[in-house]
Amino acid sequence: MAVRRLVQLERRLDKNEELRRRYNEAMQTYLDQKHMVMVPEEKLKLFNGSAKTTSNYSLNDALMTGPVIQDPLFDLVLRFRKYFIALVGGIEKMYLQVKQLAHDKGSQFPRAKAALLNDFYIDDFIGGADSESEAILLRQELEQLMPKGGFRLRKWVSNAKSALAGLTADELGTQSSLSFDQELVKTLGIHWQPGPDLLGVDVSCLAVNGQWTRRKVYSVIAQLWDPCGFTAPVISWAKVHMQLLWVASQGWDDPLSQDLASRWTDFYQQLPKLSDIKVDRHAFTNHPILIQFHVFSDASEAAYGVCIYARSINQLGQIKVELFAAKSRPASLKKTTLARLELCGAFMAAKLYRSIVKALGMNRTETWFWSDSTVVLSWLKRPSYVWPTFVANRVSHIQELTKGHRWNHVKGTGNPADLVSRRVMPRDLVDMQHWFNGPPWLSLLDQHWNIEQNLKYEEPSEELLEKKKHVFVARTA
């Protein structure tokens, strides 16, 4: 098997001289840096850990899977938006020189130890600090700690030029030395402009050739990488229409009907507009004296979703509201009431909130929860055991996850999560400022908020709700 693979590689290199040159350079680098050595013939053993043998198993299949030792990518991206000064770097040839390092040598470098344990995803560092001086100290500590394990950090990028002072051009992650105004950096799949300090969405890799099929549709949507949910209303549109394809009669590679193909063509042609979306990387004001999270949920017959905003105020009284995270989910194909879907949205909101504050270490942050469903609010005001099982289970979890925080009523017209539940096409989302910066009243002092604290309505039973509303999901385009 090893010989056969070698022959296949040689044939491939014979057809591409440039590939052969780059391959030889890489191999020579491994030799020069002692990452590989010539093996005497009597000790020669060839293997590829991922290659399957005649038993259809590989060596890697037989190895025990170890525990997850790095935080989820979602958590790292969230923390990236927390720092005033962003700092990004990468480990050179990490896979060839892994050792345990943070616990062995980290006590001498506390900032670098914390970053090594919490702000690395594989070989990428994505972190920062709350001031330029702290960012410089963090970078210097990492530069001192990493070589002790044989690691070299390079491709440094920051929104503050002073944080990169003293680095050579080879150590920077941009094309021009310390000139980032027009630079675009891709870190962990996210587009970041360090000069203006803006995040964006990458849609450059999407390509469809030939007729639309279910497989091509699913492939395109899977490539829409947006961990923070900046494009959640658009993703919601895609998920709902993907669900329609799932119940359609076509096979995976059968051409879609003219009506369905026309919809996906229109959607696909609008996707490049998402590249116009720009969101502040730093989600808070500089030196905030107050930080709040505002969590909105909503549902329709087709989907439900949630969006969370960070609201901060500085000493000058300046207020900043930024979309922090959002999420969507299509409604079940089974019949259910709108009230239950609203409850599912509230449950999603509670879980996403808990994930965010855990990742940021901000569990004590003042948080407001908002829903336009008076039914859901009435359910949450009572002990869970008084409700039927479906409602009781979700109410119990929501009450536990959001303990100590208020659930409030917001009018449907002022609920930004409505955009997720009713879905939006790409060209329309770009100009929806209230999606990226929240409803206008959030930018006012809280005494100007119109909070409906004393809603006058009966607290209905589940059975009464079924009779009154009787709103079932109808799967329509």
Side-chain angles (χ1 to χ4, degrees), residues 373-387:
S373 171
T374 57
V375 177
V376 169
L377 294 175
S378 70
W379 282 337
L380 294 176
K381 285 185 177 181
R382 298 284 297 277
S384 60
Y385 61 79
V386 305
W387 304 117

Side-chain angles (χ1 to χ4, degrees), residues 131-242:
S131 67
E132 293 186 13
S133 59
E134 278 293 312
I136 293 173
L137 289 173
L138 171 60
R139 196 203 86 204
Q140 292 174 342
E141 284 195 9
L142 282 169
E143 289 174 332
Q144 296 176 66
L145 174 61
M146 302 305 284
K148 294 182 181 295
F151 302 117
R152 181 195 175 200
L153 278 171
R154 53 194 298 272
K155 295 185 178 179
W156 287 102
V157 184
S158 175
N159 61 318
K161 296 181 181 180
S162 61
L164 306 178
L167 294 176
T168 64
D170 180 58
E171 295 171 317
L172 294 173
T174 51
Q175 297 179 2
S176 52
S177 177
L178 296 181
S179 178
F180 305 135
D181 290 345
Q182 304 300 321
E183 295 284 359
L184 183 62
V185 177
K186 192 171 182 179
T187 176
L188 299 182
I190 300 170
H191 273 208
W192 174 43
Q193 291 178 269
D197 206 11
L198 298 173
L199 296 178
V201 179
D202 181 20
V203 291
S204 60
C205 61
L206 302 178
V208 175
N209 298 313
Q211 292 180 305
W212 281 105
T213 64
R214 185 193 298 178
R215 190 184 305 278
K216 289 181 180 179
V217 167
Y218 278 41
S219 175
V220 167
I221 304 308
Q223 295 175 66
L224 285 176
W225 174 242
D226 180 20
C228 288
F230 298 144
T231 61
V234 172
I235 301 297
S236 181
W237 187 99
K239 288 179 178 178
V240 170
H241 284 76
M242 285 170 64

Side-chain angles (χ1 to χ4, degrees), residues 2-15:
V3 172
R4 185 170 65 251
R5 284 175 172 264
L6 176 62
V7 172
Q8 290 173 347
L9 175 62
E10 289 293 339
R11 288 174 179 169
R12 182 184 174 195
L13 297 179
D14 284 341
K15 296 177 182 178

Side-chain angles (χ1 to χ4, degrees), residues 102 104-111 113 141 145 148:
D104 293 345
K105 303 291 184 180
S107 58
Q108 305 172 42
F109 311 97
R111 296 177 183 83
K113 179 180 180 179
E141 284 195 9
L145 174 61
K148 294 182 181 295

Side-chain angles (χ1 to χ4, degrees), residues 93-384:
K93 299 183 178 65
M94 187 189 102
Y95 291 101
L96 303 177
Q97 47 192 357
V98 173
K99 298 174 185 180
Q100 181 172 347
L101 183 61
H103 296 294
D104 293 345
K105 303 291 184 180
S107 58
Q108 305 172 42
F109 311 97
R111 296 177 183 83
K113 179 180 180 179
L116 195 55
L117 292 174
N118 301 316
D119 296 329
F120 273 84
Y121 192 81
I122 313 299
D123 55 348
D124 287 320
F125 166 61
I126 174 171
D130 291 329
S131 67
E132 293 186 13
S133 59
E134 278 293 312
I136 293 173
L137 289 173
L138 171 60
R139 196 203 86 204
Q140 292 174 342
E141 284 195 9
L142 282 169
E143 289 174 332
Q144 296 176 66
L145 174 61
M146 302 305 284
K148 294 182 181 295
F151 302 117
R152 181 195 175 200
L153 278 171
R154 53 194 298 272
K155 295 185 178 179
W156 287 102
V157 184
S158 175
N159 61 318
K161 296 181 181 180
S162 61
L164 306 178
L167 294 176
T168 64
D170 180 58
E171 295 171 317
L172 294 173
T174 51
Q175 297 179 2
S176 52
S177 177
L178 296 181
S179 178
F180 305 135
D181 290 345
Q182 304 300 321
E183 295 284 359
L184 183 62
V185 177
K186 192 171 182 179
T187 176
L188 299 182
I190 300 170
H191 273 208
W192 174 43
Q193 291 178 269
D197 206 11
L198 298 173
L199 296 178
V201 179
D202 181 20
V203 291
S204 60
C205 61
L206 302 178
V208 175
N209 298 313
Q211 292 180 305
W212 281 105
T213 64
R214 185 193 298 178
R215 190 184 305 278
K216 289 181 180 179
V217 167
Y218 278 41
S219 175
V220 167
I221 304 308
Q223 295 175 66
L224 285 176
W225 174 242
D226 180 20
C228 288
F230 298 144
T231 61
V234 172
I235 301 297
S236 181
W237 187 99
K239 288 179 178 178
V240 170
H241 284 76
M242 285 170 64
Q243 202 172 44
L244 293 175
L245 290 181
W246 183 254
V247 299
S249 59
Q250 288 98 340
W252 279 99
D253 297 305
D254 295 335
L256 299 185
S257 65
Q258 184 175 355
D259 178 52
L260 289 174
S262 176
R263 292 183 200 172
W264 283 104
T265 297
D266 186 26
F267 178 80
Y268 174 73
Q269 290 175 343
Q270 293 184 35
L271 285 177
K273 289 293 294 181
L274 297 181
S275 62
D276 294 336
I277 293 175
K278 303 299 178 185
V279 178
D280 281 354
R281 195 272 315 163
H282 186 220
F284 309 105
T285 60
N286 299 341
H287 311 297
I289 59 174
L290 173 68
I291 292 178
Q292 297 173 332
F293 289 120
H294 289 262
V295 187
F296 295 83
S297 66
D298 191 48
S300 69
E301 291 84 358
Y304 55 92
V306 55
C307 49
I308 299 182
Y309 295 87
R311 180 178 183 267
S312 54
I313 305 176
N314 62 16
Q315 292 180 336
L316 300 177
Q318 296 171 325
I319 300 175
K320 182 175 183 177
V321 181
E322 286 287 332
L323 176 64
F324 205 75
K327 195 173 183 180
S328 68
R329 182 167 297 168
S332 172
L333 291 173
K334 297 180 180 179
K335 293 181 179 180
T336 189
T337 63
L338 182 59
R340 288 190 174 195
L341 290 172
E342 293 274 13
L343 184 63
C344 290
F347 187 26
M348 176 187 285
K351 290 189 291 185
L352 184 59
Y353 152 76
R354 182 55 61 182
S355 297
I356 287 175
V357 295
K358 181 180 178 182
L360 299 177
M362 299 174 66
N363 292 285
R364 297 182 180 274
T365 303
E366 180 184 352
T367 303
W368 298 62
F369 291 86
W370 303 89
S371 173
D372 56 25
S373 171
T374 57
V375 177
V376 169
L377 294 175
S378 70
W379 282 337
L380 294 176
K381 285 185 177 181
R382 298 284 297 277
S384 60

